Amino acid sequence: MVLNIIRRKWCTGCFWVGLEGQVFSFGCQQGFNYQQRCGLVNVKLKWVKDRALDAVVSGERDLRAACILVSMISSSPHSCVPIYHLSRYRGQLGLAHDLKLSTFIRRYPTVFQESHSLDGGGTHVPCFGLTHEAVKLHQEELNIIEKNQVDLVNRLCKLLMLTRDRTLPLQTIDQLKWDLGLPNDYHYSLIPHHCRFFSLVTLPDKRDGLKLLSWDNDLAVSQLQKNAALQQNENDVKNGCLEFPIGFTRGFGLRRKSMEWLKEWQRLPYTSPYSDASLLDSRTDVSEKRIVGVFHELLHLTIEKKTERKNVSNLRKPLALPQKFTKVFERHPGIFYISKKNDTQTVVLREAYDHQQLLHRHPLVEIRERFGSMMRTGLLERSRGFYKRSAGAGIEQDRSDDVYVDEMDDTQRSSEEESDCKLFSDYDSDDPIHEPC
């Protein structure tokens, strides 16, 4: 642990913001009316495993992939999609590269049902549809999205308001759409219905982007500011020295000097993530507190208060952040937890959870949990042999020997996949065929 405390002096200029009848100030304004002499403290805090938050993340990958597939299949004209068509979109699913898509889908017979048809050459082609229960649950999801459309639009507006040019590439938004609760086809089902807020544009690098057309001052108030107006000391709020909620993993040892640094850091002026930070010196702790505030707000925009670290790695320029900005996640383990489950790093906002329980639950979270329960039931029943292939009927699923494919070593996995039923494995690719369904 390295720690060098540097004396700080600053002078703040404050302005007032009205929020639901309450008035408070915070220590920044456009142009920054305060001057700072403040060095960046070199502090490193250890990472300590949090089993409760790891459990929150552990089942996320399969659930997200299944829900995306459900959305794709339900939107198809015949409600039955050939495997070669689904394989074109496997990059969106985040599955392991060595896992066949057909193998993944067959793990969850309570969600997906398999059939087959003949193409023009007489070859059997596997097609996947949805079970009655999955169709019903997906319809509930669509109803919730419709009822909460204003909330989803506000989340997207606030995301764009965090950026310097009020614009983001669609590719970047696509990476965050699951976390924001946006429908899989938001480009068509959401954006065109809100033309007064959004405009599709072509970016200088020729990519498609989404631009915010109007600024809403009522939305430009961070969650920390809203909470501070209700919870924090009135003088601190007026001075703009807002504190982040802090909590550590049980057993986390914080030395006295580190505690002193953290208390001093918490008393630094808070810069709203929606304000212009171009004049803020990136080499200071005040700037770092602003970066923490940006990601604190970004995680609050997500419905489960978490996102994969790679999803924010390309936000440096749009958010006007310095190099190596994601280091704040390691430097502030009391605010953020980095889970290393699912062969990736997921950043979780600690204050949003009580052990494994999300404190404020969006209605879409309930739907996702029900999908997860449905998937676990199917996986368990399949492992017990409830879904055997019926050769005569030509229905139901693959053999159960691929249920635990992720637990096999590379040699076993290769052998199992090569021996998988020939008539299905031929079409686990992008190769087109004729009229499969």
Side-chain angles (χ1 to χ4, degrees):
M1 183 179 297
V2 181
L3 182 65
N4 296 310
I5 301 296
I6 300 176
R7 188 181 301 275
R8 303 170 177 78
K9 296 180 181 179
W10 60 83
C11 172
T12 65
C14 302
F15 69 98
W16 298 86
V17 175
L19 175 62
E20 298 179 354
Q22 300 196 31
V23 180
F24 62 95
S25 63
F26 51 98
C28 73
Q29 65 176 356
Q30 192 169 4
F32 290 97
N33 288 337
Y34 66 84
Q35 297 294 323
Q36 55 176 3
R37 298 184 184 92
C38 163
L40 184 64
V41 172
N42 183 19
V43 58
K44 296 180 181 178
L45 301 179
K46 62 181 180 179
W47 178 85
V48 177
K49 185 180 182 66
D50 190 315
R51 297 186 182 278
L53 294 182
D54 279 343
V56 170
V57 174
S58 60
E60 178 80 3
R61 180 168 61 183
D62 282 10
L63 175 61
R64 179 175 58 211
C67 288
I68 292 174
L69 288 169
V70 167
S71 178
M72 290 179 176
I73 294 172
S74 66
S75 62
S76 66
H78 304 290
S79 299
C80 177
V81 183
I83 187 61
Y84 79 89
H85 182 79
L86 294 175
S87 295
R88 295 172 182 171
Y89 302 96
R90 70 164 294 144
Q92 301 180 24
L93 306 180
L95 298 175
H97 295 295
D98 55 355
L99 174 62
K100 292 172 60 177
L101 182 56
S102 58
T103 298
F104 171 79
I105 295 175
R106 290 167 185 152
R107 287 178 177 176
Y108 305 110
T110 49
V111 179
F112 306 102
Q113 58 184 11
E114 182 176 348
S115 61
H116 69 273
S117 63
L118 300 177
D119 68 357
T123 305
H124 289 278
V125 179
C127 299
F128 294 96
L130 302 178
T131 63
H132 173 73
E133 293 78 9
V135 170
K136 183 178 179 181
L137 187 54
H138 181 61
Q139 187 57 52
E140 290 186 42
E141 180 182 19
L142 295 179
N143 293 339
I144 288 176
I145 291 175
E146 181 64 27
K147 291 180 180 178
N148 291 270
Q149 193 164 132
V150 173
D151 172 70
L152 297 179
V153 169
N154 286 343
R155 289 173 189 270
L156 188 54
C157 285
K158 288 171 75 76
L159 174 65
L160 295 173
M161 289 170 67
L162 288 175
T163 66
R164 177 174 50 194
D165 300 323
R166 319 305 174 216
T167 305
L168 278 176
L170 288 180
Q171 181 182 1
T172 300
I173 300 176
D174 286 346
Q175 293 173 331
L176 291 167
K177 63 183 178 182
W178 167 264
D179 300 316
L180 295 172
L182 298 175
N184 193 54
D185 61 347
Y186 75 96
H187 314 77
Y188 313 106
S189 62
L190 188 68
I191 300 302
H193 300 292
H194 299 278
C195 297
R196 64 191 181 99
F197 296 122
F198 310 113
S199 174
L200 293 172
V201 297
T202 301
L203 304 177
D205 58 6
K206 306 303 181 184
R207 289 186 295 172
D208 293 328
L210 188 66
K211 183 177 182 63
L212 183 69
L213 297 180
S214 60
W215 181 273
D216 189 339
N217 286 327
D218 292 335
L219 292 179
V221 181
S222 70
Q223 189 64 42
L224 186 64
Q225 291 166 346
K226 294 178 183 178
N227 294 341
L230 302 173
Q231 300 172 5
Q232 295 198 16
N233 181 277
E234 183 177 354
N235 290 331
D236 289 340
V237 172
K238 288 183 177 181
N239 292 331
C241 300
L242 307 187
E243 297 185 0
F244 293 95
I246 298 291
F248 291 97
T249 305
R250 185 176 180 178
F252 189 96
L254 195 63
R255 295 183 179 179
R256 183 176 60 84
K257 288 186 177 181
S258 298
M259 294 178 65
E260 292 175 354
W261 163 77
L262 184 58
K263 290 179 180 179
E264 186 176 0
W265 183 88
Q266 287 275 48
R267 291 193 295 267
L268 292 174
Y270 171 78
T271 304
S272 169
Y274 297 104
S275 64
D276 180 10
S278 58
L279 298 181
L280 199 60
D281 189 344
S282 63
R283 298 168 297 179
T284 64
D285 272 0
V286 175
S287 175
E288 182 183 73
K289 189 167 184 178
R290 187 253 173 184
I291 297 173
V292 170
V294 169
F295 288 111
H296 182 271
E297 180 69 3
L298 179 62
L299 289 175
H300 265 292
L301 294 182
T302 65
I303 64 175
E304 297 184 73
K305 314 308 181 215
K306 59 184 173 64
T307 190
E308 290 186 17
R309 187 172 184 166
K310 64 183 180 182
N311 291 342
V312 300
S313 62
N314 59 350
L315 288 174
R316 186 179 70 83
K317 290 184 178 179
L319 297 179
L321 299 176
Q323 296 282 352
K324 299 181 179 180
F325 62 93
T326 60
K327 290 295 183 181
V328 297
F329 299 139
E330 284 93 352
R331 283 172 57 84
H332 296 277
I335 302 174
F336 310 108
Y337 175 67
I338 301 177
S339 174
K340 300 178 182 180
K341 291 291 184 179
N342 297 336
D343 300 321
T344 186
Q345 293 188 11
T346 301
V347 184
V348 184
L349 189 63
R350 281 190 180 275
E351 70 189 70
Y353 286 86
D354 180 10
H355 299 287
Q356 297 182 31
Q357 297 301 315
L358 188 61
L359 297 178
H360 301 285
R361 299 167 64 81
H362 192 280
L364 285 174
V365 174
E366 302 286 348
I367 293 293
R368 291 179 179 180
E369 289 183 350
R370 290 168 63 186
F371 265 119
S373 177
M374 186 184 298
M375 292 167 63
R376 288 190 295 273
T377 298
L379 186 61
L380 179 61
E381 291 179 350
R382 191 171 188 275
S383 67
R384 292 175 175 174
F386 289 2
Y387 296 91
K388 295 293 186 181
R389 183 188 299 275
S390 175
I395 61 174
E396 276 310 339
Q397 318 300 330
D398 194 6
R399 295 184 301 271
S400 60
D401 56 3
D402 61 358
V403 171
Y404 300 105
V405 65
D406 285 339
E407 300 178 7
M408 303 175 183
D409 60 32
D410 292 339
T411 303
Q412 288 175 307
R413 181 180 294 111
S414 176
S415 174
E416 288 291 344
E417 291 184 358
E418 289 175 2
S419 63
D420 197 7
C421 185
K422 177 70 170 161
L423 92 151
F424 292 106
S425 62
D426 285 347
Y427 279 96
D428 196 7
S429 69
D430 290 349
D431 297 335
I433 55 178
H434 304 289
E435 301 177 355
C437 291

